[in-house]
Amino acid sequence: MYLRTIIFSLSEEKEKKGSSSKKDTEGMLVLTCSSKLASLRRLLTHSFPESLKVCGALHHVIEKNPFRLQVLVDQWPDFTSVICRPPLEEMTDPSDPYTNTYFLFSKDPQGLRQFLQDPETVNWKQELQIQGCQPALTGVLHEVSSKHGSQMHTTSNLLYMRDRMESEDLENMSNISDLQFSTLKPEEAYLVNEVWAFGGNLLGERYISHCIQSFPNVCARKLGVGKPVAWTMSEQSAEMRMGYTEKQYRNQGLFRTMIVQLANKLHSMGCPLYCHVAPDNKTSQAATLRAGFPLAGRWQQWKFQPL
């Protein structure tokens, strides 16, 4: 009995040591310790809005992590760059940018080069996308990817965020008599996919279905019909995305109401509150501002394809 106790104690001690972090290479560290992940999240909140994407992803990693994301830093505790992404061995489809998604934040664009060039950090041999809120990283990303024969396409949208939700935010919201609010069903992913600017394909529909099952969303349905006529969702970086309203229900405050409802759900979970809108979408920009989300910067998506 005594010997068995010693063996268990040694095993538990080894597990604790192994859970704090995993050094894969000289240029990359995988954080797995819950206390270190919590510390990192606290530190990232001091770098809003630039760190929003990584901080939002980190929130879901600490909670249930339905997308099985890993948290990579260039060093610890004095990190300068952070990436959240799925394990490389799970990004098996080289043509699937929805799975092959990286969320990036860096305090040192120059030092970021080495971090990105590590093959254990980014797999440049497959189609992928990197999201963040730092337009200044574009040059470094282009330089590094070009060394691997990758072609880069950059999308830059307007970034909106707010610090918290207040009780009065849920007051004076639109109440359209023939609509009721609920949540989307996984089998309704095709409706979102048909109108989402970044979707329109089977891989996108599968991704949307996964998001519906894993994260908060809000939709509006016709009474007695069931089909949603408007919706807004959140995803693995806790961002509110994919908002849409059918034409006959636009300009009635419905979109603003859904944003507030979804933001309230995310706020109750401790998530950062943010979203992006295309520069030419003036209607959604106005609705986002009316929902209490001021302009905070730029939202970036860098999409790469091997040449």
Side-chain angles (χ1 to χ4, degrees):
M1 185 70 176
Y2 176 69
L3 178 61
R4 186 178 182 184
T5 302
I6 291 176
I7 291 173
F8 276 136
S9 298
L10 290 173
S11 176
E12 289 171 359
E13 183 65 24
K14 183 178 180 181
E15 185 176 339
K16 288 179 182 178
K17 289 180 179 179
S19 67
S20 67
S21 59
K22 179 182 178 184
K23 191 74 172 181
D24 281 3
T25 68
E26 288 301 316
M28 183 268 286
L29 190 69
V30 181
L31 292 188
T32 58
C33 172
S34 58
S35 62
K36 289 182 179 181
L37 292 172
S39 295
L40 177 59
R41 180 170 60 176
R42 286 193 298 270
L43 292 170
L44 288 172
T45 61
H46 299 303
S47 297
F48 284 171
E50 289 84 2
S51 63
L52 279 168
K53 271 290 179 181
V54 167
C55 193
L58 183 55
H59 173 85
H60 286 313
V61 169
I62 293 172
E63 297 302 321
K64 298 180 179 179
N65 200 12
F67 273 55
R68 295 173 49 82
L69 300 181
Q70 291 182 326
V71 181
L72 284 58
V73 294
D74 56 346
Q75 54 192 16
W76 185 261
D78 300 320
F79 72 93
T80 62
S81 297
V82 188
I83 282 178
C84 293
R85 59 146 172 79
L88 292 179
E89 60 270 20
E90 293 191 7
M91 293 190 276
T92 56
D93 186 345
S95 63
D96 181 3
Y98 305 99
T99 301
N100 309 338
T101 296
Y102 301 67
F103 302 112
L104 171 65
F105 168 70
S106 180
K107 297 184 286 185
D108 180 16
Q110 299 306 314
L112 179 62
R113 287 183 176 84
Q114 181 179 353
F115 191 45
L116 293 174
Q117 288 173 348
D118 186 340
E120 295 299 320
T121 300
V122 179
N123 181 3
W124 296 105
K125 296 179 181 179
Q126 60 185 196
E127 185 175 341
L128 61 94
Q129 60 174 313
I130 298 175
Q131 293 181 12
C133 304
Q134 296 175 276
L137 300 183
T138 299
V140 176
L141 288 168
H142 186 275
E143 177 185 329
V144 174
S145 65
S146 64
K147 294 179 180 180
H148 298 272
S150 295
Q151 185 177 18
M152 183 173 81
H153 174 73
T154 303
T155 300
S156 182
N157 288 328
L158 302 178
L159 175 69
Y160 297 83
M161 71 163 289
R162 63 180 296 175
D163 295 329
R164 62 182 64 86
M165 298 298 293
E166 306 292 348
S167 57
E168 55 267 24
D169 289 317
L170 296 174
E171 301 174 359
N172 301 320
M173 293 192 298
S174 294
N175 183 18
I176 302 176
S177 59
D178 63 336
L179 295 180
Q180 61 182 356
F181 293 103
S182 64
T183 56
L184 290 164
K185 303 173 184 176
E187 58 268 25
E188 294 171 332
Y190 78 96
L191 294 171
V192 181
N193 187 50
E194 287 176 349
V195 295
W196 184 35
F198 295 100
N201 54 70
L202 291 177
L203 291 173
E205 183 175 330
R206 185 180 67 183
Y207 166 72
I208 293 167
S209 179
H210 194 183
C211 288
I212 291 173
Q213 296 175 70
S214 305
F215 309 114
N217 67 78
V218 173
C219 73
R221 303 177 186 274
K222 292 182 180 179
L223 292 173
V225 177
K227 178 184 175 183
V229 298
W231 54 78
T232 185
M233 297 175 50
S234 59
E235 37 85 289
Q236 71 269 40
S237 68
E239 182 185 355
M240 296 183 290
R241 297 191 64 183
M242 309 178 206
Y244 177 78
T245 304
E246 290 188 356
K247 289 183 179 180
Q248 63 267 37
Y249 290 100
R250 294 175 186 173
N251 301 314
Q252 300 179 49
L254 179 57
F255 184 56
R256 172 191 173 277
T257 296
M258 291 190 303
I259 292 176
V260 170
Q261 288 192 8
L262 180 56
N264 194 57
K265 289 184 179 182
L266 293 168
H267 179 66
S268 67
M269 297 169 57
C271 296
L273 305 176
Y274 70 108
C275 62
H276 75 266
V277 181
D280 59 349
N281 191 341
K282 304 301 181 184
T283 301
S284 292
Q285 291 170 29
T288 304
L289 288 170
R290 286 195 298 270
F293 285 76
L295 184 64
R298 303 292 295 199
W299 176 96
Q300 300 290 124
Q301 177 174 282
W302 300 277
K303 189 172 181 180
F304 300 90
Q305 288 182 309
L307 296 176

